[in-house]
Amino acid sequence: MFRLVYSGERATQPLVDDSSLTKEQKWQLLFDRSWGSLAPGSKTKWLVYLRKWKKWTDDHIEQTEGYLVYPSSKVSAFLQSILEECTASNSKDPLGAVKSARKALRHLRACQVGIPEEGTEFPSQPYIAGVTSRAKTATAEARQCEEADPSCSASTLSNEEYASLLDAAMRFPDRQVGLCVAAMVSCGLMAGYRSDDLQDTRYFMELICSVPAGPLPMQILALANNAGKANQDAQMTYAALANHRQPHLDCLAYLSQLILYQINVSKLPLLALIYQNNMSWRSYRMFFRDPSMATSKQSYYDVSTMLLKVAATMPDTLIKTKVMHLMRCSGTVSLAAAACSMDVLRVWGRWARSEGVVGKSYLPKSPLSALPATGVLAGFGTDFMTNHAFGRGTVAVPVAWIDALAPHARVIFQAVRLRNRTRTGKADFSGQHCVESVLYLAETFWQSSPFMLQRYGLGWWALQLPTVCFILGSSSFRQFEQQVMNAELEWNARPLSPQMSEAFDKISKQVCSLSEQIAHLQLSVNGMMQPVHSQTAANQQHAYNQQRKYATSGRQKSSH
């Protein structure tokens, strides 16, 4: 269909060979610009409508131009059939379907040679614009029907739903799927990832320097990603992850569960490949349904099916209008509710690409550019620089416990760092950062382990590891567990930061001053009202005396 040539009335000049390019090369340039440059997700979606275009054309033999996207009356008839199909199936978004079909045909038309120009752009041609207008009306009617969901939270997760979804994931029978969903949901919410980002997230992790927050420095784990439909230039962009204030909402805790499961149970040879300077480790995806699929990008069906299966096991049915976009929507609303500025929202959601070089090239390359959003989504509010504290992060984890979960990781890290410094092999700084991040996540695993045991008991997956069971049964772990619990209680009960205390003191003084002013005003009003009340009482007493006098004189006259 892409190679068709129109030669009928008003046909434009066909492609011809010249001294620089052949007509085949010219067509290939057209194809690359109009179709080859599209994101894989867009191609997949629009191929659906191109197949429908082919079937519709085959069924309407009266259309003499075949698969050519011409004239506009034929195109509008096809779009009208898409609209009628959506209306018959009670679709809530007929306009979206018509627009997708229109875009697919526009790209096909751009590759077909000889089609005459019709004076206006393809979507604005009268026949096509008429179908688009009717699709808008049909969408409005579908969304105003009695079955429409009026809930304002139909596309977001509340805190209770978020925690319940994580619990369902951790208890899911298929451990790989459950841990993958828990990490995918928690990390996707904090990073603001789209489905396309989560489908292609790799083991590009970097533990960057601590942010000098107080009273406890904030550790930032950066996820690097050069995929996604909004990243047409394949630039490496970074998203920041941080420990959450609440243990059961900590995305790094769930990410550590997933990665250590893949290393210890799924036997993912990640660390071995990095040690061998084998760059094939970079092909491993972080979120996958089965280890056999770890080296390829996951499809939307794969990741969405995992999430839907876990959501189906929740105690309360989760009914939402979004699936893989649910995390991004929830993060956006959480940031807006915490009074984050629109500038912070644009940088966090990578919507600042329209802001020129700064928004397109500089800000996405640093995970710290949206640090205020990270602080809010980690549960510390907009004042996280002076209020960052969680007790479990202050308890040191024995080195032997970390080595038990990530065997030889410490030795591999030292070897790779030395190799990168001395240039004795192919430099692999990404591998060095990845191993360092695994060590940090193993530490996070143990700091969150008392809460995992408390919340999931014998259903916690880590109990199937002999080394973990041995450590959990030791007296040193019982002491460690007590230290973690006491630290959480102590840090949660700590007074406010000096800046917050000063602000509350100032507010209290203002309230006291206002109360004193109200009291003085009340006294003044009472003082002004007292003479009036006294005069009123005197007048009443005088009137009473006069009445008694007249009554007495009247009785005397009667007796006479």
Side-chain angles (χ1 to χ4, degrees), residues 206-211 218-222 367-368:
E206 181 178 356
L207 185 66
I208 65 176
C209 59
S210 301
V211 176
M218 175 184 284
Q219 299 285 349
I220 297 293
L221 184 71
L368 299 181

Side-chain angles (χ1 to χ4, degrees), residues 177-243:
V177 171
L179 294 174
C180 183
V181 169
M184 189 168 60
V185 169
S186 56
C187 294
L189 193 148
M190 180 166 282
Y193 272 171
R194 300 177 176 88
S195 171
D196 208 50
D197 300 319
L198 294 168
Q199 292 168 223
D200 209 21
T201 300
R202 310 190 188 204
Y203 271 90
F204 296 153
M205 301 181 293
E206 181 178 356
L207 185 66
I208 65 176
C209 59
S210 301
V211 176
L216 187 67
M218 175 184 284
Q219 299 285 349
I220 297 293
L221 184 71
L223 286 183
N225 200 330
N226 62 346
K229 67 176 185 179
N231 190 3
Q232 295 294 325
D233 301 330
Q235 293 185 359
M236 195 64 76
T237 59
Y238 298 86
L241 304 179
N243 292 102

Side-chain angles (χ1 to χ4, degrees), residues 259-268 270-271 405 407 438:
I259 291 178
L260 293 173
Y261 177 88
Q262 292 174 352
I263 292 175
N264 290 280
V265 180
S266 300
K267 303 301 180 181
L268 200 69
L270 178 71
L271 299 178
L405 279 176
V438 170

Side-chain angles (χ1 to χ4, degrees), residues 470-540:
F470 177 78
I471 294 173
L472 293 180
S474 64
S475 59
S476 56
F477 179 79
R478 287 193 290 272
Q479 295 175 359
F480 173 81
E481 182 180 25
Q482 192 62 44
Q483 289 176 357
V484 170
M485 294 297 187
N486 291 340
E488 282 290 315
L489 293 174
E490 177 188 352
W491 283 77
N492 287 337
R494 282 199 172 204
L496 295 171
S497 62
Q499 290 80 357
M500 291 295 293
S501 299
E502 181 181 353
F504 276 105
D505 289 342
K506 186 176 180 180
I507 294 173
S508 299
K509 290 178 181 179
Q510 292 176 349
V511 172
C512 292
S513 177
L514 184 60
S515 300
E516 291 177 0
Q517 294 177 16
I518 293 174
H520 286 306
L521 182 60
Q522 186 66 39
L523 290 174
S524 300
V525 171
N526 292 340
M528 293 171 61
M529 294 295 294
Q530 186 173 0
V532 176
H533 292 161
S534 301
Q535 183 64 37
T536 303
N539 293 339
Q540 291 177 350

Side-chain angles (χ1 to χ4, degrees), residues 247-304:
H248 66 286
L249 300 179
D250 192 348
C251 69
L252 291 184
Y254 292 108
L255 185 61
S256 70
Q257 305 286 322
L258 172 66
I259 291 178
L260 293 173
Y261 177 88
Q262 292 174 352
I263 292 175
N264 290 280
V265 180
S266 300
K267 303 301 180 181
L268 200 69
L270 178 71
L271 299 178
L273 292 175
I274 293 175
Y275 178 71
Q276 297 165 7
N277 208 9
N278 187 337
M279 296 300 169
S280 63
W281 73 268
R282 299 188 177 193
S283 65
Y284 284 118
R285 270 60 177 185
M286 191 174 289
F287 309 118
F288 52 82
R289 179 169 53 87
D290 186 84
S292 62
M293 307 165 59
T295 56
S296 58
K297 179 181 177 180
Q298 309 301 295
S299 67
Y300 178 85
Y301 174 80
D302 290 328
V303 292
S304 61

Side-chain angles (χ1 to χ4, degrees), residues 76 89 118 129 143 161 207 291 490:
S76 66
S89 61
E118 299 193 34
R143 292 177 177 175
E161 291 171 336
L207 185 66
E490 177 188 352

